[in-house]
Amino acid sequence: MGRSAAEHWDTIYGTKATDDVSWFQRQPTTSLRLLTSVAPPSGSLIDIGAGASTLADSLLKAGWSDVTVLDVSATALALVRDRVGVMVRDQHSDELDQRRGPASFVVADVLSWQPERTYDAWHDRAVFHFLVRPEQREQYVATATGAIRPGGVLVLGTFAADGPMQCSGLPTSRYDADALAGVFAPDFSLEHSEREEHLTPGGAVQPFTWAVLRHTSQGAPRC
């Protein structure tokens, strides 16, 4: 996923309403529940491929203060930045230096991104299933392994084994929990999994597999 990916997603977020895309959620209920069950709000979190999701808003309202939002689409991130900025100003109008808020924004392709820090939690809803080539998955796993501190968690939502084979004009891979655990082994162990049936704005059902994976390695060099 390179420049063409940025153009693809910029076009989508620049031409469609945020509540008109198939992955839209008014409230990111499953993501928020899983994250708050395995990581404290005092920790650091990165949302990979956030798009225009309201997860960052929800996390900040829940007390998280170190949230990073990453997406390949600058158009999508501008929507989140503007929305979060209004929310934070309303809550802390007399206190907050607007140059340094509780959320950071990174425009990048996760496959070429070079993390400059580590995180306690990594969240990805509906990015990993777009990585259909083995080398893409290997790069993603290597980046996540380096960016999540030992003991940290990866909360991952992908299309389930009976989910769509395409989304937004792109092919997808589909997974059950055991398959996801296998992709991220041996550096991560599966702690929890569940199925979600997402109802799109158009009324279709998209089955998702959710996995909570714990980073169990101690940062040893990968062979």
Side-chain angles (χ1 to χ4, degrees):
M1 297 172 73
R3 185 170 182 273
S4 61
E7 292 176 341
H8 176 85
W9 294 110
D10 276 342
T11 298
I12 287 174
Y13 285 107
T15 58
K16 290 189 176 184
T18 56
D19 60 355
D20 194 37
V21 293
S22 64
W23 52 91
F24 172 75
Q25 292 179 305
R26 197 163 299 281
Q27 295 293 333
T29 305
T30 301
S31 297
L32 191 61
R33 172 173 53 80
L34 291 177
L35 286 167
T36 56
S37 71
V38 295
S42 58
S44 56
L45 178 143
I46 185 163
D47 187 13
I48 298 294
S53 166
T54 60
L55 179 61
D57 318 47
S58 298
L59 289 167
L60 295 174
K61 289 177 182 177
W64 291 73
S65 59
D66 186 354
V67 176
T68 299
V69 186
L70 180 147
D71 200 272
V72 72
S73 169
T75 301
L77 284 192
L79 296 172
V80 181
R81 184 187 292 110
D82 291 347
R83 198 176 61 229
V84 166
V86 170
M87 182 191 76
V88 172
R89 284 195 297 273
D90 288 347
Q91 291 179 341
H92 306 283
S93 58
D94 298 325
E95 308 168 17
L96 186 70
D97 179 348
Q98 288 300 312
R99 293 170 299 175
R100 294 179 58 83
S104 301
F105 299 88
V106 179
V107 179
D109 184 335
V110 68
L111 297 182
S112 57
W113 174 54
Q114 299 290 321
E116 297 180 351
R117 57 172 296 192
T118 59
Y119 300 88
D120 297 302
W122 171 298
H123 172 269
D124 170 356
R125 176 181 180 263
V127 172
F128 189 72
H129 62 215
F130 284 113
L131 308 183
V132 297
R133 300 199 305 272
E135 64 271 20
Q136 293 176 317
R137 294 190 287 269
E138 291 170 5
Q139 181 59 53
Y140 182 104
V141 172
T143 300
T145 302
I148 302 171
R149 66 165 182 81
V153 292
L154 189 159
V155 176
L156 185 64
T158 71
F159 283 150
D162 56 340
M165 299 181 67
Q166 281 198 337
C167 180
S168 191
L170 300 175
T172 64
S173 296
R174 301 175 295 169
Y175 299 91
D176 60 21
D178 288 340
L180 286 176
V183 171
F184 285 87
D187 294 308
F188 292 84
S189 62
L190 181 65
E191 283 195 346
H192 171 79
S193 65
E194 62 184 68
R195 177 183 174 91
E196 177 189 21
E197 295 196 347
H198 167 63
L199 184 65
T200 73
V205 174
Q206 292 182 339
F208 273 73
T209 295
W210 281 95
V212 176
L213 299 148
R214 182 74 60 177
H215 189 186
T216 56
S217 76
Q218 296 303 310
R222 296 172 64 88
C223 298

